[in-house]
Amino acid sequence: MKRIISILAILILCSSGMRADEGMWLLPLLQKMNGKAIKDAGCALSPNQIYKINNGSLKDAIVQFGGGCTGEIVSDEGLLLTNHHCGYGNIQKLSTVEHDYLKDGYWAMRRSEELPCEGLTVTFLQYMEDLGPILEKAEKKARSEYKGSADIEEQVQKAQDAAVKDAVAKAEKKDPHCTVKVTSFYNDNVYYLIVYKIYRDIRFVGAPPSSIGKFGADSDNWMWPRHTGDFSMFRVYADKDNNPADYSPENVPLNVKNPLKVSTAGIQEGDFTMIMGYPGRTTRFQTSPELKFQLEQNDIRIAARTVRQNVLLEDMLADPKVKIQYASKYASSSNGWKKWQGMKLAFEKLDIISRAEKQEAEFRKWVSADRKGKRQAKYDGILDSLSIAIENGREANLAFTKAFESVYKIELTSFAKTLERQCARRVRAGKDTLTALNMAFEVLKGQYADYSVNTDRKVAKAMMKYYRDNAAPEDYLKDLPEDFATMDIDAFVDRMFDESDFVSAERLEAAIMEKGAKVLDDPACVTGLSILNECIKLQNGAYAHEGALEDARRTYTAGLLEWKEKTPMYPDANFTMRFTYGSVKGYSPKDAVIYRYYTTLKGVMEKENPENWEFVVPGKLKYLYETKDFGPYAMADGQMPVAFLSTNDITGGNSGSPIMNAHGELIGLAFDGNWESMSSDVMFEPELQRCINVDIRYVLFIIDKFGGAGHLVDEMDIVSKRHDSKK
């Protein structure tokens, strides 16, 4: 565990102001890094009211939803809001052709109708602890004890690792219901111990139909103006002592001491906004060679996903059952596919790579300007080392991406690989082969519920053709019954599917009982092993250069922190809770075009197209619009708000995050970014970058007036009076 720079040093460095809207800030550092700036921007809460370990604070109501989204608790009985697209996979798993909750929506009218979501978790942050003092103490002691020893660096490493292990053990002992993780920041220059409490009994409460929750679908994804009611509702359950527990009818709704208040008072341009959530990955410390390489990889991903998604969408539109089975898979694939296309355009328009090159040139000057030579000893040549590491791993990485995005996505061969690996693991643990196979099948069989063999057959043909057309001959699949370079792919795939026992759960279960270990001789296993071996070979080739790349990144980041001594520098996002602040604001994407900061239900009606599944409007929603039956949720001018823009700095993982006013009251849910700022994961662009949020008034309107589930609104603490939060 290497730690190049102290977090205390970073606090000293980060003493001056920064563009108020940029930054995904660590909660424990708000007071020292941003306390005055947040107040000056218009926040009515102190940093301690936002994050405090032992007393109630906003962070108590913010959760990580599943593994990749954010949610917020809005009642003292564990009621949770997140995005519709975050709940999408769980809603899809609960849906059938007879009860299609994606198509029709769902509202639990009583607690007994709340549907358990197998495998879904909700994670609460308990606290974060900087490991710097522990690491420094261990290092100092080890250097004193092993002074003059040839292996002193190894002994220091062992001492630090032992110190961290001891800290983790103490935290686990303190609360056995918690999960303790050690997470690095600033490219492994700083480490924190983070304690979470993970709840495992989560139940689906309600969501609008996809015609509202996914209105605009792929066409509107990443776009403004936006008219999507992107929300869904769940509830967290706990045991009688309010602790995490597996699903049980005996569990009760989680008692939450500090749920968010919900404001229906509305927003105005310029209002202060803040977002807390779990942003996934940003790479704002990347260099120009890394950025160029990222675009190369994205081109491969876009091309391969275009082929696969075309096959999936054709079958989804032709068959309602397939549409349910592949809804989540398609949405997940398409989200990245469209983002990468926007990123490429934004890189060119905003001159991202040239701006990175300029910073690197300035960094080199800073290093060489050091007369004492200390900087040069640490950082001279580090950019060259980083560039060399990228280039050395370039071909292997690109080759792996081609394989992973194409042939690796064939589900039939993935099933075979899963059964084989799960079986081998249990045999190594001492199980006999038949028992191991049956146990492995139990792990696998649930995946067949979302599987269409006819669709997968088409995907297999398309992906194998794509791979053969784009991979280098030396990376072709090997050890197949036929030569991959010359075989008739359509005929090969048809034979594999016709002869394989992996085409359905029923056929596979019967084959295991009849054939035993010989089921692993299945043609899907043979092809799956060929794909896996090629991917492993290519991945190992890429990994061979990863260590040098990580070392170079860590050193360069340490140099940036030292160089930018008067500029606050937040760490890249890494799925840990962050705080970002900004304001309600429109923008101008190009000459003579000005976007206002909000949309209304009128825009939904203007976009309606009954012939296009992405823009179908439910009849009841049209009726509510025509009769202006908006209840208490309309704006002062009588219109129904839908979405609004803010300048908050977010990325993937922030989906479902609460956007709050200056008093910490919920005014909406973050769910997207705008097309013009698709480069935001690598560089913040204040004039163009916007966060798209669904207005909480539209959420409440859909729950109450459209869904008839006003009892859920009654659970919430509603604030109808507007505070003077405008700066």
Side-chain angles (χ1 to χ4, degrees):
M1 182 175 291
K2 298 181 180 179
R3 189 173 185 273
I4 296 175
I5 192 165
S6 165
I7 193 67
L8 295 176
I10 292 174
L11 289 176
I12 293 170
L13 298 179
C14 300
S15 58
S16 64
M18 186 183 191
R19 289 177 302 203
D21 303 332
E22 179 176 354
M24 300 177 185
W25 303 100
L26 286 172
L27 299 183
L29 306 182
L30 285 182
Q31 180 65 58
K32 293 180 179 179
M33 274 193 177
N34 309 92
K36 184 177 185 302
I38 295 170
K39 182 178 180 180
D40 290 346
C43 186
L45 303 183
S46 69
N48 281 338
Q49 289 175 299
I50 296 169
Y51 172 80
K52 188 73 173 177
I53 295 176
N54 298 319
N55 296 319
S57 59
L58 279 186
K59 66 97 176 165
D60 298 331
I62 317 302
V63 301
Q64 186 172 47
F65 182 83
C69 279
T70 302
E72 51 276 351
I73 306 297
V74 292
S75 86
D76 58 8
E77 294 188 276
L79 188 63
L80 180 152
L81 278 172
T82 189
N83 287 155
H84 186 272
H85 75 261
C86 292
Y88 201 77
N90 290 282
I91 301 170
Q92 178 253 322
K93 289 178 183 177
L94 293 168
S95 295
T96 63
V97 174
E98 294 76 22
H99 300 286
D100 188 346
Y101 303 136
L102 288 176
K103 178 184 176 183
D104 302 326
Y106 179 79
W107 307 99
M109 295 301 174
R110 53 187 64 85
R111 296 287 166 84
S112 61
E113 295 177 358
E114 296 178 352
L115 306 176
C117 299
E118 183 178 356
L120 178 59
T121 60
V122 162
T123 301
F124 289 80
L125 171 67
Q126 303 301 294
Y127 65 88
M128 301 175 66
E129 178 184 343
D130 177 23
L131 288 173
I134 293 173
L135 290 169
E136 289 166 359
K137 182 179 179 180
E139 179 180 7
K140 183 178 181 180
K141 182 179 179 182
R143 290 197 182 281
S144 175
E145 184 176 349
Y146 296 97
K147 185 177 181 180
S149 174
D151 65 344
I152 186 171
E153 295 303 326
E154 181 180 346
Q155 295 301 332
V156 168
Q157 187 70 61
K158 287 182 179 179
Q160 289 184 323
D161 290 345
V164 170
K165 185 177 181 180
D166 181 62
V168 170
K170 288 179 179 177
E172 290 175 337
K173 184 177 180 181
K174 184 178 179 181
D175 191 340
H177 295 287
C178 287
T179 298
V180 182
K181 296 182 180 180
V182 174
T183 304
S184 66
F185 299 85
Y186 299 100
N187 281 333
D188 297 336
N189 281 289
V190 172
Y191 290 86
Y192 267 87
L193 181 148
I194 309 180
V195 180
Y196 298 105
K197 188 169 283 189
I198 304 175
Y199 286 83
R200 305 182 299 276
D201 185 355
I202 315 300
R203 306 184 193 181
F204 177 44
V205 174
S210 291
S211 53
I212 292 175
K214 198 175 170 61
F215 183 78
D218 295 324
S219 295
D220 273 7
N221 193 19
W222 303 109
M223 308 301 288
W224 184 262
R226 198 67 175 274
H227 299 85
T228 311
D230 198 347
F231 78 93
S232 56
M233 306 183 76
F234 294 79
R235 193 182 303 276
V236 183
Y237 279 74
D239 67 15
K240 59 182 177 60
D241 297 317
N242 220 40
N243 287 315
D246 292 333
Y247 168 78
S248 169
E250 304 303 316
N251 288 345
V252 295
L254 178 69
N255 181 272
V256 180
K257 293 182 179 180
N258 297 295
L260 291 185
K261 294 182 178 181
V262 177
S263 173
T264 59
I267 55 171
Q268 295 178 8
E269 191 155 26
D271 281 355
F272 174 88
T273 57
M274 55 185 167
I275 288 176
M276 293 173 69
Y278 287 84
R281 295 290 175 191
T282 56
T283 51
R284 292 182 182 171
F285 292 92
Q286 277 196 113
T287 58
S288 55
E290 292 174 282
L291 296 174
K292 292 174 184 176
F293 179 59
Q294 184 177 6
L295 290 180
E296 282 189 273
Q297 285 187 301
N298 287 349
D299 283 344
I300 293 170
R301 295 176 178 126
I302 291 167
R305 291 193 182 195
T306 297
V307 174
R308 179 169 174 262
Q309 288 169 196
N310 286 343
V311 175
L312 295 182
L313 186 59
E314 181 179 7
D315 275 22
M316 289 168 66
L317 294 178
D319 187 334
K321 183 177 180 181
V322 175
K323 187 173 183 179
I324 293 173
Q325 290 173 320
Y326 283 84
S328 183
K329 298 174 189 177
Y330 182 88
S332 177
S333 176
S334 178
N335 191 55
W337 170 80
K338 188 167 184 179
K339 179 179 180 178
W340 295 323
Q341 293 178 70
M343 182 183 291
K344 186 173 183 177
L345 294 172
F347 266 48
E348 181 178 350
K349 181 178 180 180
L350 301 177
D351 204 19
I352 295 297
I353 291 175
S354 293
R355 288 160 68 180
E357 290 173 336
K358 181 180 179 182
Q359 175 174 276
E360 290 153 30
E362 292 172 352
F363 177 80
R364 291 180 190 272
K365 289 180 181 178
W366 172 77
V367 172
S368 62
D370 177 25
R371 295 179 180 178
K372 295 181 180 180
K374 291 183 178 180
R375 292 181 205 156
Q376 294 183 45
K378 289 189 288 185
Y379 308 124
D380 190 37
I382 194 60
L383 283 169
D384 295 328
S385 297
L386 206 157
S387 181
I388 290 169
I390 287 288
E391 187 58 32
N392 286 343
R394 178 175 170 274
E395 290 301 325
N397 270 297
L398 294 178
F400 171 74
T401 302
K402 289 174 188 175
F404 182 78
E405 287 287 345
S406 58
V407 289
Y408 196 81
K409 301 296 185 182
I410 300 170
E411 291 176 281
L412 184 78
T413 55
S414 293
F415 292 159
K417 288 179 291 187
T418 298
L419 187 82
E420 200 165 30
R421 288 198 302 269
Q422 292 289 337
C423 176
R425 182 183 303 170
R426 286 160 176 78
V427 168
R428 288 195 298 269
K431 302 294 183 182
D432 65 84
T433 302
L434 185 58
T435 299
L437 281 169
N438 280 309
M439 293 174 70
F441 172 74
E442 289 300 314
V443 173
L444 173 64
K445 70 177 183 179
Q447 297 181 38
Y448 281 98
D450 298 326
Y451 178 64
S452 164
V453 65
N454 291 330
T455 301
D456 191 35
R457 185 190 292 252
K458 296 174 186 176
V459 168
K461 292 176 180 179
M463 292 292 88
M464 294 188 87
K465 289 174 183 176
Y466 169 87
Y467 188 65
R468 187 166 70 181
D469 289 344
N470 291 277
E474 60 266 26
D475 298 329
Y476 280 177
L477 301 181
K478 302 170 182 65
D479 301 319
L480 295 176
E482 302 177 44
D483 182 3
F484 185 73
T486 59
M487 70 184 190
D488 182 333
I489 288 179
D490 286 347
F492 176 85
V493 170
D494 281 334
R495 281 193 297 274
M496 178 174 67
F497 274 77
D498 291 343
E499 297 172 9
S500 177
D501 290 316
F502 284 82
V503 292
S504 71
E506 296 76 17
R507 184 166 165 177
L508 179 57
E509 186 175 28
I512 290 172
M513 296 304 297
E514 179 184 345
K515 300 178 182 179
K518 288 187 177 181
V519 76
L520 299 178
D521 297 329
D522 190 276
C525 289
V526 174
T527 303
L529 182 61
S530 173
I531 294 169
L532 181 62
N533 286 341
E534 200 59 35
C535 285
I536 290 174
K537 181 199 80 173
L538 297 172
Q539 192 173 48
N540 287 341
Y543 280 167
H545 308 282
E546 194 66 24
L549 181 58
E550 289 178 354
D551 286 344
R553 281 174 176 156
R554 179 169 53 247
T555 303
Y556 176 57
T557 302
L560 288 177
L561 291 170
E562 186 176 337
W563 175 35
K564 301 283 189 177
E565 62 181 6
K566 294 183 179 180
T567 304
M569 295 186 73
Y570 51 90
D572 270 324
N574 60 356
F575 286 103
T576 54
M577 190 186 285
R578 303 296 179 90
F579 175 91
T580 170
Y581 58 102
S583 60
V584 176
K585 190 176 182 180
Y587 71 106
S588 176
K590 53 188 175 182
D591 184 47
V593 176
I594 298 175
Y595 285 143
R596 74 180 182 190
Y597 67 92
Y598 69 94
T599 60
T600 68
L601 192 55
K602 179 182 178 182
V604 174
M605 304 307 157
E606 291 174 344
K607 286 183 176 179
E608 180 187 14
N609 182 358
E611 303 302 317
N612 183 342
W613 66 274
E614 296 180 308
F615 296 100
V616 172
V617 179
K620 185 173 182 180
L621 187 61
K622 288 194 284 186
Y623 174 79
L624 292 170
Y625 172 75
E626 291 165 358
T627 59
K628 307 300 180 187
D629 187 6
F630 302 144
Y633 311 112
M635 299 189 297
D637 63 1
Q639 294 193 79
M640 184 68 238
V642 173
F644 67 93
L645 294 171
S646 68
T647 60
N648 297 85
D649 188 3
I650 70 162
T651 189
N654 272 122
S655 291
S657 292
I659 180 165
M660 298 165 281
N661 62 22
H663 293 261
E665 297 160 353
L666 185 66
I667 57 175
L669 281 66
F671 72 93
D672 212 349
N674 58 318
W675 184 250
E676 294 81 9
S677 66
M678 288 293 94
S679 59
S680 62
D681 283 354
V682 301
M683 195 172 292
F684 187 87
E685 182 55 53
E687 294 303 314
L688 290 177
Q689 185 164 333
R690 293 294 181 269
C691 172
I692 303 176
N693 314 277
V694 58
D695 195 303
I696 195 62
R697 292 171 292 178
Y698 189 57
V699 171
L700 299 179
F701 162 71
I702 294 297
I703 295 170
D704 185 2
K705 305 299 292 185
F706 179 87
H711 61 286
L712 297 173
V713 177
D714 292 340
E715 273 193 57
M716 306 176 198
D717 187 351
I718 305 293
V719 178
S720 59
K721 182 180 179 181
R722 178 177 167 81
H723 303 279
D724 184 15
S725 61
K726 189 174 181 179
K727 284 293 292 180

